[in-house]
Amino acid sequence: MPVYVYKATWVFGGSEHGWKETLYFDRNDDDLSAAIAQVDAAAVFRAKMLGTEYFIKGTTAKIVLDPALNPINGGSRLSRNRIDGSSTMEGDSYNVSLLVSFYDATSRLHRVMDLGGIWDNIAVNGGKFIRTPTGWNSAWGAWRNHITTVLGIPISTTQGSAACGWLHSTKSLPFSVTGYASSGTNQITFSVAGTPFAGMTAGTVTTVRFSRMAGGAKSVLNRLMPVVVLTDGTCQSVKAISAAPFSALTGRMYKYTYALTKAPIVNPEEIRSRQRGRPLLVSVGRRGNRPTT
């Protein structure tokens, strides 16, 4: 069956600040309604680890990889199902978070995520992580069990079940850039030797890196950038770029391939500070017209 990879995002608020947390999971279809229901179900367990002043204000599910693991804009779905935090446990400061590590089955690859809005009584004595407060271990265990067995298609590993994780990217060998030209809107069309975009549908947006675009000299094109696939060997920059005419034959392009790396190992590590911004999913209104002096 075809497998699509989704990006799940939980949007949080409280204490006049906001943040988001993200994981990736897979499904055997491109049913966004069913996918957002999965993300909302995980939100119920995550909310139990929030203090009384914090809440989940919304979730999103977005298709990011097609069955061939090509990046796609497969649409997204937003849910504004608000879920309040604990009714009894006070939360710590908005800029205090619990660092959580996610490991693959070999413990070779790993990523970290900050869980914000945590209970005040699990961070004591200058930020020491305490696991013993009544109810914390059960709340943590329920969330961890849900994301490793239910959020996504579970697989069995020697380390336990894994159902979600993160996108791991692999950089290709270099492809030679044979030329580029600027359009009337300053979008650059690149011609590349070989067929780096074989199998990708025209119009797909992907990320590539260019280097040595001016024979070793500085160039505005030497960067990581999103491009739109045109053919197997051509692509066009998404953003307008003012670049000098093509003259060097030394340019290189690197393509990235992505895959979902699932994490059977999810460990709480330590308490740390993480600056939060203004509340998300809230309009700034007329803030831009207010006096600044």
Side-chain angles (χ1 to χ4, degrees), residues 5 62-74 167 197 199-201 203-208 227 229 255-259:
V5 177
K62 180 180 180 180
I63 303 176
V64 293
L65 295 181
D66 67 13
L69 298 181
N70 292 317
I72 60 170
N73 182 9
L167 286 189
F197 306 114
M200 299 181 68
T201 304
T204 298
V205 177
T206 188
T207 301
V208 299
V227 296
V229 173
K255 178 187 173 185
Y256 293 86
T257 55
Y258 299 89

Side-chain angles (χ1 to χ4, degrees), residues 72-210:
I72 60 170
N73 182 9
S76 62
R77 188 65 53 85
L78 167 68
S79 169
R80 289 183 176 270
N81 181 27
R82 172 172 170 148
I83 307 175
D84 292 327
S86 170
S87 60
T88 57
M89 296 297 181
E90 293 185 0
D92 209 322
S93 172
Y94 64 85
N95 61 355
V96 174
S97 63
L98 175 63
L99 179 68
V100 177
S101 292
F102 293 75
Y103 293 88
D104 73 342
T106 66
S107 294
R108 184 177 65 87
L109 302 174
H110 109 287
R111 64 153 285 184
V112 297
M113 183 168 70
D114 286 276
L115 300 187
I118 57 176
W119 297 1
D120 180 63
N121 61 0
I122 70 168
V124 299
N125 299 330
K128 182 180 179 181
F129 176 40
I130 302 296
R131 306 168 185 257
T132 55
T134 301
W136 170 259
N137 280 327
S138 60
W140 162 265
W143 176 75
R144 182 199 176 282
N145 180 69
H146 186 86
I147 64 171
T148 56
T149 62
V150 179
L151 181 63
I153 303 171
I155 59 173
S156 179
T157 76
T158 56
Q159 302 291 345
S161 176
C164 69
W166 69 94
L167 286 189
H168 181 73
S169 62
T170 302
K171 186 178 178 180
S172 71
L173 294 173
F175 295 90
S176 297
V177 178
T178 58
Y180 65 78
S182 178
S183 68
T185 58
N186 280 343
Q187 289 174 298
I188 309 297
T189 299
F190 299 90
S191 298
V192 185
T195 56
F197 306 114
M200 299 181 68
T201 304
T204 298
V205 177
T206 188
T207 301
V208 299
R209 180 180 293 278
F210 292 100

Side-chain angles (χ1 to χ4, degrees), residues 37-76:
Q38 284 182 265
V39 180
D40 279 343
V44 174
F45 294 93
R46 177 65 182 92
K48 295 182 184 299
M49 294 189 288
L50 296 175
T52 56
E53 56 268 75
Y54 299 106
F55 55 92
I56 297 177
K57 64 193 316 179
T59 59
T60 63
K62 180 180 180 180
I63 303 176
V64 293
L65 295 181
D66 67 13
L69 298 181
N70 292 317
I72 60 170
N73 182 9
S76 62

